[in-house]
Amino acid sequence: MKFKEISKLLCVVFLVTFKYVNAQQTDQPKPNILWVLTDDQRYDAIRAFNKILDGREMSALGYVESPNVDKLTQMGTTFINTYCQATGCAPSRASMITGRYPFRSGVYEFEYHNNQAEHSKPSLPEQMADLGYETLHIGKLGFRLKTTKNGKLKSAEVFQKNIDFKQLRRDGLTDWGKDWFYELDGKKFDKPIKNLEFFVTPDGKFEYVIPKDLESKFIKYKGTAITSVAKYDLFRKYSKRDPKSDYSGIILSGVSSRKAGKTRDGYYASIFEDYLKNENQEFTVGSRTFKGVNTKKPLFCHIGFDFPHTPVLPPASYRNRFQKYNYKVPAFNKKELENMPKQLKKQINNAYSDDFTYEEKQKMIQDYYAFCAYGDALIGEATDAFIKYSEAKKQPWVIVYVCGDHGWKLNDHGSVSKFSSWEIDSHNPIVVVSSDKKSFPAGKVVRDFTEFVDIAPTILAASGAKLEDEKFNYLDGLDMAKIASESILLRDYIVGESHAVTGPRAFIRTKEYVFSMQTRPDKKRGENMDWALHASYKDLDPALYDMKNDPNEINNLAFDKKYASIAEKMKEKLINVVLGDNRIEVKWGGKRGDGTEVFRSNFAPGAHDYKLKL
């Protein structure tokens, strides 16, 4: 046989083999995927995480309870050193759903954004729909996307089925709610009552408590705010600037008005179970009707739990158990403020908690961890139902659990809330479980850095998407399956940026150090984008913490001469990455979100290479 004939034969064999293998891969069923996200959850609320990180099951503060997430860590792979990109709800969730850093999406805080900006790309659920999935969202999403259709601005629906929390609370499928009311007790208003807060009783009645002027408009509600404080044992945040009041302050402690399972998070779990049970048929959720699971399609389901976000209202069955535990309150020495950056001081002042009494701090911590324990039970209900459905259909499945969109302080640094780049605000481990145990082996712990921008590419890759295709080249994150197998470049650092409360501030974190600084002189998008290049070091309001010797990030070393070289290298890298490597800023148009004008800064292209040697 001549050489040319042999070559042709080999080519034919190769093509036939390739087509066969490709067909085999195509015929592989796509896994059902469940993505579970909690809100404001500290990593130390999970026993398994504490054991991995510190060698003990309990938090340094005291008793915690998490049997269901602990079980997930045994079933799958824990990415213990995952960090969020922004320590505020909306920008953090945007980084997950878009797969892009804030400085690549232009979403830095709670602004409404528009999908018609020229750099906009399809969101994760939209990409999943294109891959043939039925997409479902239940609960809190926090993705503030707008679009324009037929000349009118409206919210962009990125999930095919959206069982959102807003209508659920209006229907009374909750224990607590806050909303704008255009009508009350049959009386219509020319202007709505804004931020009307209410509790829902076990028999479904609404108890309206805030705002204060509600009592002057409706005599029947006079005194309900004061009554609710005693009835639900409420502890509302206060400060020297904002004294104690029955009519203001986020609820840091209290008891739910309803029993376990009938709270807002309880309804999220039970609605998800109803969705899976009602195959190809309609079922009712409050005032709305939805169609149950489409058995002809693979599922991509997202449950956005609200717990343990304020109001912290665990059901009585959980609260009573946790009140017997005494917690170690994080100590705060005001000397920490002396070297604290101005921007971080601003967050502390806005959410100062060290003036609370010891009893108030205890209640705050007890109820927070009780709420987390209750939420863990709901996660167990949802994941068990999902696995049961998938296995009954003989379909592969994947679960992605994300511990909080960011963390939460419980008097750490003398405050509550989030919005800062400290460890307790930004460290949020992820657990991925797959039915085949191959990409995400059971019981495996990955200690290499992962980030929230990895969530979208990981879910897409698990669904069969080819991330090397051009349509996915906008994704900033990495496939966590490849990080687990160490088949791709591993990170020396992670980065993030957030503008909420503190003002524009970015951070870069290695295993040894974390450095943060002010990135912009103000929030005027598209102006002075290179300000940090020319600003003095002092004006950058820097912070540097040595994580090995100061794990609680108390001593700011940014101006310590011994650390000058480290601070300079981290500053230079951070500036080049977040300000100089294809930075995006957009004038979104405020609350309307109709702006689409894009501004770019690209003076250090390729700077974000994951490499940083100190």
Side-chain angles (χ1 to χ4, degrees):
M1 188 178 290
K2 294 181 180 180
F3 177 75
K4 287 185 176 179
E5 292 174 334
I6 294 174
S7 298
K8 287 180 179 178
L9 180 61
L10 288 173
C11 287
V12 170
V13 171
F14 172 78
L15 288 171
V16 171
T17 303
F18 176 80
K19 287 181 179 179
Y20 173 76
V21 172
N22 192 54
Q24 290 290 96
Q25 290 176 340
T26 304
D27 290 342
Q28 293 295 320
K30 294 179 183 293
N32 296 327
I33 299 176
L34 172 62
W35 172 23
V36 176
L37 174 63
T38 60
D39 197 341
D40 287 13
Q41 188 173 18
R42 295 163 60 108
Y43 68 82
D44 69 353
I46 306 300
R47 286 191 183 187
F49 297 165
N50 292 327
K51 195 167 185 178
I52 294 168
L53 290 167
D54 303 307
R56 60 171 185 264
E57 287 192 345
M58 299 305 168
S59 163
L61 278 60
Y63 181 83
V64 297
E65 193 177 288
S66 54
N68 292 287
V69 173
D70 295 345
K71 180 181 175 182
L72 292 179
T73 67
Q74 296 166 4
M75 295 168 62
T77 299
T78 301
F79 296 86
I80 196 65
N81 285 318
T82 306
Y83 286 80
C84 69
Q85 259 57 69
T87 50
C89 301
S92 180
R93 290 161 186 267
S95 70
M96 294 184 245
I97 294 172
T98 64
R100 304 170 100 174
Y101 293 105
F103 58 88
R104 295 273 173 75
S105 69
V107 182
Y108 296 99
E109 51 180 330
F110 293 86
E111 66 266 53
Y112 287 91
H113 41 107
N114 195 295
N115 63 9
Q116 294 176 327
E118 54 90 5
H119 75 299
S120 181
K121 299 292 182 180
S123 65
L124 170 60
E126 291 171 300
Q127 293 280 28
M128 295 296 283
D130 288 344
L131 290 166
Y133 276 77
E134 169 162 283
T135 64
L136 166 76
H137 166 255
I138 299 174
K140 178 175 178 176
L141 184 60
F143 188 49
R144 303 161 76 88
L145 188 65
K146 297 280 190 175
T147 191
T148 303
K149 288 187 178 180
N150 301 320
K152 293 183 178 181
L153 188 69
K154 57 183 293 186
S155 295
E157 293 291 342
V158 295
F159 281 89
Q160 294 166 332
K161 295 179 180 178
N162 180 19
I163 307 179
D164 70 288
F165 72 104
K166 291 183 179 179
Q167 190 57 48
L168 293 177
R169 70 190 180 203
R170 290 167 184 163
D171 290 339
L173 301 183
T174 185
D175 53 340
W176 175 94
K178 183 168 67 174
D179 209 337
W180 287 23
F181 279 70
Y182 292 82
E183 182 180 343
L184 191 63
D185 293 349
K187 181 179 178 181
K188 294 183 178 181
F189 311 117
D190 294 330
K191 294 181 179 180
I193 298 178
K194 298 181 180 180
N195 299 318
L196 177 54
E197 187 177 307
F198 58 89
F199 290 89
V200 181
T201 64
D203 57 357
K205 293 181 180 178
F206 282 48
E207 295 177 333
Y208 301 100
V209 296
I210 289 176
K212 191 172 184 178
D213 63 0
L214 174 72
E215 297 183 1
S216 61
K217 295 178 180 178
F218 293 87
I219 300 299
K220 64 185 288 187
Y221 298 120
K222 188 173 180 60
T224 54
I226 297 173
T227 301
S228 69
V229 171
K231 185 176 182 180
Y232 304 116
D233 194 21
L234 303 182
F235 166 44
R236 293 184 180 273
K237 177 186 168 295
Y238 66 89
S239 65
K240 291 179 180 179
R241 187 172 57 187
D242 299 305
K244 285 186 178 182
S245 172
D246 296 328
Y247 298 94
S248 64
I250 56 175
I251 297 172
L252 297 172
S253 170
V255 63
S256 175
S257 60
R258 308 192 77 175
K259 66 180 182 179
K262 297 299 181 181
T263 67
R264 53 181 177 172
D265 291 303
Y267 278 109
Y268 299 165
S270 62
I271 289 168
F272 180 58
E273 292 180 65
D274 287 343
Y275 165 78
L276 294 175
K277 291 175 183 175
N278 288 277
E279 299 179 10
N280 306 307
Q281 60 184 359
E282 292 185 339
F283 69 104
T284 301
V285 180
S287 62
R288 295 175 291 177
T289 300
F290 295 92
K291 195 165 187 180
V293 59
N294 182 347
T295 55
K296 294 182 179 180
K297 287 188 174 186
L299 306 179
F300 172 53
C301 306
H302 172 48
I303 304 178
F305 284 110
D306 280 287
F307 83 88
H309 193 290
T310 56
V312 181
L313 298 169
S317 56
Y318 282 83
R319 189 180 201 234
N320 294 342
R321 284 198 297 110
F322 275 73
Q323 285 183 330
K324 67 183 179 183
Y325 298 107
N326 191 59
Y327 287 87
K328 182 180 179 181
V329 179
F332 177 64
N333 188 328
K334 290 186 177 180
K335 286 186 177 180
E336 183 184 345
L337 295 169
E338 294 175 5
N339 294 318
M340 188 182 290
K342 293 179 182 177
Q343 286 185 311
L344 297 184
K345 280 184 187 178
K346 181 179 180 181
Q347 192 280 327
I348 297 300
N349 290 332
N350 282 343
Y352 195 70
S353 58
D354 205 46
D355 283 341
F356 298 166
T357 67
Y358 176 79
E359 290 74 18
E360 289 169 339
K361 291 174 184 175
Q362 275 296 318
K363 285 179 59 178
M364 174 178 75
I365 298 172
Q366 288 169 338
D367 287 350
Y368 179 89
Y369 288 124
F371 209 12
C372 288
Y374 169 54
D376 179 82
L378 299 177
I379 289 172
E381 290 179 21
T383 52
D384 286 351
F386 174 73
I387 293 171
K388 182 179 179 182
Y389 169 84
S390 299
E391 293 187 345
K393 301 297 180 186
K394 294 181 170 55
Q395 295 170 338
W397 53 266
V398 174
I399 295 171
V400 180
Y401 160 72
V402 183
C403 179
D405 45 3
H406 43 69
W408 183 261
K409 292 185 283 294
L410 292 170
N411 206 58
D412 306 83
H413 305 281
S415 71
V416 292
S417 193
K418 51 263 187 173
F419 301 120
S420 56
S421 50
W422 287 309
E423 176 90 356
I424 200 63
D425 291 4
S426 59
H427 191 173
N428 298 90
I430 291 174
V431 182
V432 185
V433 187
S434 62
S435 55
D436 65 6
K437 310 297 181 187
K438 293 178 181 178
S439 297
F440 303 99
K444 184 179 180 68
V445 175
V446 175
R447 295 184 183 272
D448 294 299
F449 277 136
T450 40
E451 302 180 273
F452 275 12
V453 290
D454 296 338
I455 293 169
T458 299
I459 290 174
L460 286 166
S463 71
K466 296 179 179 179
L467 298 184
E468 62 273 17
D469 288 356
E470 185 178 351
K471 67 177 181 178
F472 298 118
N473 65 8
Y474 66 91
L475 293 169
D476 288 323
L478 305 173
D479 177 5
M480 290 193 287
K482 292 186 176 180
I483 296 174
S485 64
E486 298 185 6
S487 59
I488 56 174
L489 175 71
L490 301 179
R491 298 174 168 104
D492 289 335
Y493 64 86
I494 56 95
V495 291
E497 183 176 5
S498 181
H499 293 188
V501 179
T502 63
R505 192 170 186 86
F507 65 92
I508 181 168
R509 183 180 289 273
T510 68
K511 294 291 177 65
E512 298 85 14
Y513 302 98
V514 57
F515 178 87
S516 64
M517 52 168 252
Q518 185 170 334
T519 52
R520 307 271 278 97
D522 50 46
K523 297 180 183 180
K524 296 178 181 177
R525 307 295 188 230
E527 299 179 20
N528 297 315
M529 293 174 70
D530 62 350
W531 169 83
L533 278 175
H534 312 292
S536 70
Y537 186 62
K538 183 179 179 181
D539 286 343
L540 292 177
D541 196 29
L544 174 69
Y545 298 101
D546 181 339
M547 296 304 297
K548 183 178 180 180
N549 297 308
D550 181 24
N552 293 323
E553 299 164 294
I554 304 299
N555 302 307
N556 179 14
L557 303 170
F559 294 96
D560 189 321
K561 291 181 180 179
K562 294 179 183 178
Y563 293 84
S565 175
I566 291 170
E568 178 60 30
K569 288 179 181 178
M570 296 187 80
K571 182 200 79 169
E572 182 179 359
K573 188 69 174 181
L574 184 59
I575 287 176
N576 285 339
V577 171
V578 303
L579 296 175
D581 192 358
N582 195 23
R583 180 182 184 83
I584 295 289
E585 293 185 9
V586 187
K587 291 186 176 179
W588 293 115
K591 292 184 178 181
R592 283 186 54 78
D594 57 352
T596 58
E597 186 178 6
V598 175
F599 302 88
R600 297 179 182 272
S601 174
N602 202 28
F603 58 78
H608 189 28
D609 57 5
Y610 304 120
K611 298 175 183 177
L612 178 59
K613 300 301 180 185
L614 298 174

